[in-house]
């Protein structure tokens, strides 16, 4: 039975969430409320949905927003016709709310436009006799409202009388009094018909201006006290149910113990803007007056100093008062309606915004259909989160109705409870994660809670600070779960329904701004931190000096590279100069929004060429999002800010980034939820890794990065292609000749020559394939194979370059491994690693391996890092090796210089040291691959591209010159071949000659060689000689340059006899 009940609750909850109706019933309903088909009307572009139950205008607008739609507008004539036709079909006869597209939402404006000068009366503390009398004759009044702006003297703590109205028959007929408690708060109390009501309504004694209104009605027997637009106290019941007596005297600043005199309990401070009505004002009227907006009710008395007599000690002063409604054209009393059944087409009118009327929500066809799909999916297979949420709410029956009717939330306790259940359900189902339908539901919940806290009728006075703190913490926790990076793919699934993650940011801004006075009521600093969101509120009295600190997001411990935002101190001082008494900063940091913006959608689809060197690919979000809201006396004000943000970008090969300071403009394409705007923002300074910005207003900021790809002119492109082809051809020939020389001339076998041969083979094959890649680009299969082979052989080339560095290190620094074992390791690095890396890349990348238009790895995906990453590693290691070799060479040269005489050493030291540095650099650059460092910089300039191609295309020629032409081993081998050929030629064409002894022994050099069959032998003795004879060739400097003497040694019987026979070349 319990399972059936839970299933029913789930289905009902989903029905309310997706197709829920507001729960506030209005005075008129449709004749057939259950005919749901008549409540939805589809046009070619829109889906209109009529909600029969009635709401005030603000609640109707917020409800449509919570359904990811908007209140219907009459902007286009087609809209008017379709809406009226829809209303005729439904048979609805009452007017419906429509949104006036001309009137925009209220925004913070410049301080100079938010203040009005008022003439005020100053009641000095130096005299207790100050008072002011209103020179107006008052009739008997069945209802009365009095509103006044007061600025209390902070040093006065006794009971004070703001105003007192005394009639001839009763002195305490109508009076407003105040006293200060031990905590520094002013408590107000009313006296009506002589009855003194309790001191309950309060506000801080902070020296600021406060708007106070009192209302009373005999008919309803109801009274109320309002402070700064909010109702702080109310009650009913007086001893006498009668009108207030007429012909009385209204005194400001004193209590009348007798009719018009005997003053006591004086007021000290300033008073202005006193207005009297003979009606009881409603809450919406009081709130409008607080913002200096005029009301439609006619005043009995309007503030005018010419109608007031004051004591000599009371002085007239000018007071700038905060009046945001004056310049924002806020229509606080009447809202637009449409009369569907009128004969006119259509009939637009104005109605009090607090009236309850039906309304129509409009959404696009795609969004409506996507909402229906998600709803059906969630209804048929509820997610783990939704099941857990149902179970948690089912534990508390008093909260179950909130889960079923989320649009019925109307107080903080209910909202906090539902958010608490959601937080617990998120923790319990953390492993399963959120589904797209869950995210839509939670976004609706956040929107609903933010709308409730922003309602004009909402008041947090009855809630404790702890309750509001808990609500805020739960709100941030739910929002954090929604904008987590783990949900990036799920945001794509709901993009047809939800505008984007900035909808969550907007809900956070609205909720926190509204609750900030309650959050900072007992403390000046509040911080709420979650993994992806950091929220901070700072409050300060301006007369205490500027103590507001910069706000920084989490991250590096180095302050210079943190995401930070601050308000200039001069701007804060301007607030105080304009009459503000306190400032509140609401700062928020969002660290996970960047991955939630689809990069493919954010980059321009059709790149545009900006000039001959760069091509603009588009603009991407390149940082976290940081925001600040400035509240002056709890009202939003516009203010300039400085901020710096770290760059967080995807790495594009051959791309450069130009930072742009921007903010999210919710009014830019509002149907899409807004877009980035740069108006009023500028870059202050650019640094590696972060950018400093200045904006002349407050909102949500970020750094956008304009991505540019290097773009060469056709002439340069053609020249580079030709140069590459020629260079590769020359390089390939050089590598081929070098390889042939290493084999043909008989260079002594060693690990060094073996490594050289493998490097030459890998690099030669890579350049041969590179020359053929343009031809292969025309054939898909051939191009793919060439790409894979290019990847393989270039990787092998760099791996053998790494081996060259390791071998050089072992020769120069230390020898810790035998040659045989070392070569096995070198073969594994040189050929095994490339095969492994290429194979893994092919498996992982699949269809993203090759570029679209040429035979090489794709630079638009992460595949390119399968080549760039190892290359950077090899270049780093070889750079370290080269530095070490240079150090050792310099050290050796320095020691040799010391061994010379001091005078000679001083002359040769500079040359030796310079050559010691230059020689290894020139020799080792080609085999260590360090010329490829230029490849990292080719995007900077076309000149660097030419340098890179020249250095690397002619790498084979360079290797041929350094390791073949000027290699001592190769040259010695060639020399030995030449000498052997000369020796053979010498013996083939020589004749005998007599050897004459000389008195001077010749200087000879000896070389011993085995006898040859062609060596002629003569002897005076007989016997075999071949077994013991040896041939010596002596170069005698006394002979001619081309003369040689050959000596034959033979062993005679019994004694060693050396017989010398000289041969002189003749004609050879």
């Amino acid at each position: 039975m319990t399972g059936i009940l839970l299933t029913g609750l789930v289905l009902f909850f989903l029905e309310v969430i997706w197709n829920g109706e507001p729960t506030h019933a209005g005075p008129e309903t449709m004749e057939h409320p259950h005919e749901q088909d008549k409540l939805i009307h589809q046009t070619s572009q829109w889906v209109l949905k009529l909600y029969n139950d009635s709401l005030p205008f603000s609640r109707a607008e917020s409800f449509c927003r919570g359904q990811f739609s908007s209140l219907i507008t009459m902007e286009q004539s087609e809209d008017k016709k379709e809406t009226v036709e829809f209303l005729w079909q439904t048979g609805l006869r009452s007017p419906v709310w429509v949104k006036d597209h001309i009137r925009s939402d209220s925004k913070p404006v410049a301080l100079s436009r938010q203040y009005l000068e008022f003439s005020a009366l100053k009641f000095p503390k130096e005299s207790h006799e100050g008072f002011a009398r209103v020179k107006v004759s008052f009739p008997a009044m069945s209802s009365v409202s009095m509103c006044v702006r007061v600025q209390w003297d902070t040093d006065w703590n006794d009971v004070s009388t703001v105003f007192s109205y005394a009639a001839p028959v009763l002195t305490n007929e109508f009076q407003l009094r105040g006293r200060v408690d031990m905590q520094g708060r002013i408590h107000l109390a009313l006296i009506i018909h002589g009855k003194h009501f309790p001191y309950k309504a309060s506000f801080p004694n902070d020296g600021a201006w406060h708007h106070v209104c009192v209302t009373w009605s005999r008919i309803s027997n109801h009274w109320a006290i309002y402070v700064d637009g909010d109702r702080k106290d109310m009650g009913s019941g007086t001893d006498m149910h009668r009108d207030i007596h007429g012909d009385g005297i209204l005194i400001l600043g004193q209590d009348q113990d007798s009719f018009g005199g005997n003053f006591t309990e004086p007021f000290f401070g300033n008073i202005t803007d006193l207005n009297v009505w003979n009606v009881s004002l409603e809450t919406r009227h009081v709130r409008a007056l607080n913002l200096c907006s005029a009301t439609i009710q006619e005043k009995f008395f309007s503030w005018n100093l010419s109608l007031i007599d004051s004591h000599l000690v009371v002085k007239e002063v000018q007071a700038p008062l905060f009046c945001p409604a004056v310049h924002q054209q806020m229509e606080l009393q009447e809202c637009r309606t449409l009369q569907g059944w009128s004969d006119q087409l259509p009939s637009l009118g104005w109605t009090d915004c607090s009236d309850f009327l039906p309304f129509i929500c409009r959404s696009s066809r795609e969004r409506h259909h996507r909402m229906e799909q998600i709803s059906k999916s969630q209804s048929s297979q509820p997610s783990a989160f939704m099941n857990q949420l149902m179970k948690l709410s089912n534990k508390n029956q008093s909260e179950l109705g909130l889960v079923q009717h989320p649009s019925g939330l109307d107080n903080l306790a209910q909202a906090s409870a539902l958010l608490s259940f959601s937080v617990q359900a998120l923790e319990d189902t953390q492993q399963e994660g959120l589904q797209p339908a869950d995210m839509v539901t939670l976004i609706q919940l956040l929107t609903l809670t933010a709308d409730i806290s922003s309602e004009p009728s909402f008041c947090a006075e009855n809630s404790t600070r702890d309750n509001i703190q808990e609500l805020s913490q739960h709100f941030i926790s739910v929002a954090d779960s929604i904008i987590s990076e783990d949900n990036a793919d799920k945001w794509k699934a709901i993009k047809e329904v939800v505008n984007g993650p900035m909808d969550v940011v907007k809900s956070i801004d609205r909720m926190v701004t509204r609750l900030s006075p309650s959050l900072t009521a007992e403390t000046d600093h509040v911080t709420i931190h979650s993994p992806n969101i950091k929220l901070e509120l700072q409050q300060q009295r301006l007369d205490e000096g500027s103590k507001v600190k910069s706000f920084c997001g989490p991250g590096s411990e180095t302050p210079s590279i943190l995401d930070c935002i601050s308000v200039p101190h001069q701007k804060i001082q301007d607030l105080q100069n304009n009459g503000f008494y306190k400032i509140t900063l609401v700062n928020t940091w969002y660290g996970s929004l960047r991955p939630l913006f689809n990069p493919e959608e954010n980059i321009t689809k059709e790149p545009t060429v900006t000039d001959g060197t760069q091509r603009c690919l588009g603009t991407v979000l390149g940082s976290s999002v940081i925001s600040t809201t400035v509240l002056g006396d709890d009202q939003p004000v516009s203010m300039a800010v400085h901020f710096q943000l770290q760059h967080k970008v995807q790495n594009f090969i051959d791309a450069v980034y130009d930072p742009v300071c921007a903010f999210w403009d919710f009014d830019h394409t509002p149907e899409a939820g807004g877009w980035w705007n740069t108006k009023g923002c500028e870059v202050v300074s650019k640094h590696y890794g972060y950018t400093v910005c200045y904006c002349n207003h407050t909102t949500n900021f970020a750094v956008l990065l304009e991505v540019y790809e290097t773009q060469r002119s056709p002439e340069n492109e053609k020249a580079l292609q030709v140069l590459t082809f020629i260079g590769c051809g020359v390089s390939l020939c050089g590598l081929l000749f070098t390889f042939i020389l290493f084999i043909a001339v008989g260079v002594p076998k060693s690990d060094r020559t073996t490594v050289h041969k493998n490097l030459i083979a890998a690099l030669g094959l890579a350049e041969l394939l590179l020359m053929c890649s343009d031809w292969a680009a025309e054939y898909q299969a051939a191009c793919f194979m060439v790409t894979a082979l290019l990847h393989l052989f270039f990787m092998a080339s760099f791996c053998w370059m790494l081996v060259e560095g390791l071998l050089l290190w072992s020769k120069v620094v230390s020898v810790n491994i035998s040659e045989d074992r070392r070569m096995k390791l070198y073969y594994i690095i040189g050929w095994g690693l490339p095969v492994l890396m290429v194979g893994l890349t092919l498996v992982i990348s699949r269809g993203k391996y090759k570029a679209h238009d040429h035979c090489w790895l794709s630079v638009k995906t992460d595949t390119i890092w399968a080549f760039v990453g190892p290359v950077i590693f090899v270049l780093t290691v070889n750079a370290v090796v080269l530095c070490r070799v240079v150090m050792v060479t310099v050290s050796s040269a320095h020691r040799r210089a010391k061994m010379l005489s001091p005078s000679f050493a001083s002359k040769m030291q500079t040359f030796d040291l310079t050559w010691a540095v230059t020689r290894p650099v020139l020799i080792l650059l080609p085999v260590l691959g360090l010329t490829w460092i230029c490849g990292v910089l080719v995007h900077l300039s076309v000149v660097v591209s030419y340098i890179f191609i020249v250095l690397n295309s002619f790498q084979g020629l360079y290797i041929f010159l350094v390791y073949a032409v000027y290699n001592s081993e190769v040259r010695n081998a060639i020399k030995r071949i030449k000498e052997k050929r000369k020796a053979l030629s010498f013996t083939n064409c020589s004749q005998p000659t007599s050897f004459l002894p000389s008195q001077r022994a010749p200087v000879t050099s000896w070389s011993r060689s085995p006898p040859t069959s062609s060596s002629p032998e003569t002897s005076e003795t007989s016997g075999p000689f071949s077994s013991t004879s040896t041939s010596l060739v002596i170069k005698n400097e006394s002979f001619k340059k081309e003369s040689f003497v050959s000596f034959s040694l033979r062993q005679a019987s019994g004694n060693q006899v050396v017989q010398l026979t000289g041969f002189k070349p003749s004609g050879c």
Side-chain angles (χ1 to χ4, degrees), residues 7-17 403-405:
T7 302
L9 292 176
V10 170
L11 297 177
F12 186 75
F13 172 73
L14 294 173
E15 180 67 21
V16 172
I17 283 288
V403 181
Q404 297 174 348
H405 304 283

Side-chain angles (χ1 to χ4, degrees), residues 686-757:
K686 304 176 184 179
H687 305 270
Y688 179 77
Y690 70 97
T691 299
V692 179
C693 301
Y694 170 85
C695 290
N696 60 10
H697 53 275
T698 53
T699 182
N700 301 283
F701 302 102
V703 170
L704 306 181
L705 296 177
E706 293 183 344
V707 185
Y708 291 92
E709 185 183 40
T710 54
Q711 180 74 18
R712 307 182 185 96
S713 64
E715 295 79 10
N716 285 327
E717 192 71 29
K718 184 65 175 178
L720 290 173
Q721 289 179 356
V722 172
L723 187 61
T724 300
F725 190 84
I726 295 175
C728 286
V730 174
S731 179
L732 186 60
C733 293
L735 292 172
L736 181 62
F737 290 155
T738 306
F739 192 81
I740 292 174
L741 280 175
F742 272 38
I743 296 176
V745 303
V747 176
K749 184 177 180 181
S750 65
D751 53 357
R752 183 173 57 182
T753 56
T754 302
V755 172
H756 286 343
K757 291 176 184 177

Side-chain angles (χ1 to χ4, degrees), residues 435-578:
Q435 298 302 314
D438 301 331
M439 295 174 59
V440 173
T441 301
L442 291 176
I443 293 172
Q444 286 182 302
L445 175 59
L446 295 182
T447 303
L448 179 62
T449 305
D451 286 337
I452 292 172
S453 64
S454 302
E455 280 293 317
S457 60
F458 171 77
C459 179
E461 187 71 21
N462 297 326
S463 300
T464 64
R465 179 184 176 277
D466 292 339
N467 291 339
I468 298 176
Q469 177 85 16
E470 183 181 24
L471 168 67
S472 303
Q473 182 66 61
H474 291 160
F475 194 100
I476 297 299
S477 297
V478 173
D480 185 274
S481 300
I482 297 173
I483 64 173
S484 171
E485 294 185 18
D486 298 335
N487 296 327
D489 294 336
K490 296 163 190 175
W491 275 99
K492 297 178 183 178
I494 61 174
K495 64 181 181 180
E496 294 91 351
V497 176
V498 184
N499 290 322
M502 295 305 293
D503 280 1
V504 179
V505 173
K506 185 176 183 179
S507 297
I508 295 175
D509 290 345
R510 296 172 61 235
M511 187 275 300
V512 178
T513 301
R514 177 60 179 170
L515 295 182
S516 61
S518 301
L519 289 170
T520 57
E522 300 176 8
T523 181
D524 292 335
H525 191 273
V526 177
T527 301
I528 301 176
H529 203 174
S530 66
N532 301 306
I533 302 174
K534 181 181 179 181
L535 172 68
E536 182 181 82
L537 285 85
Q538 299 182 59
Q539 180 174 276
Q540 178 200 343
R541 287 186 57 172
L542 294 175
D543 56 3
E544 298 176 353
S546 179
K547 298 180 182 178
V548 177
K549 299 180 180 179
S550 299
F551 166 74
C552 295
S556 172
E557 296 181 357
T558 305
S560 60
I561 59 173
L562 285 175
D563 297 331
C564 296
I565 191 168
S566 63
V567 178
H569 292 294
Q570 182 59 45
K571 300 298 181 181
I572 298 177
Q573 184 63 40
D574 292 342
L575 284 177
Q576 185 177 10
N577 297 338
N578 283 309

Side-chain angles (χ1 to χ4, degrees), residues 81 164 167 340 389 409 676 716 760 808 838 846 869:
K81 182 178 180 181
S164 62
L389 181 62
L409 294 176
W676 297 106
N716 285 327
I760 292 170
L808 190 62
V838 172
R846 297 181 181 178

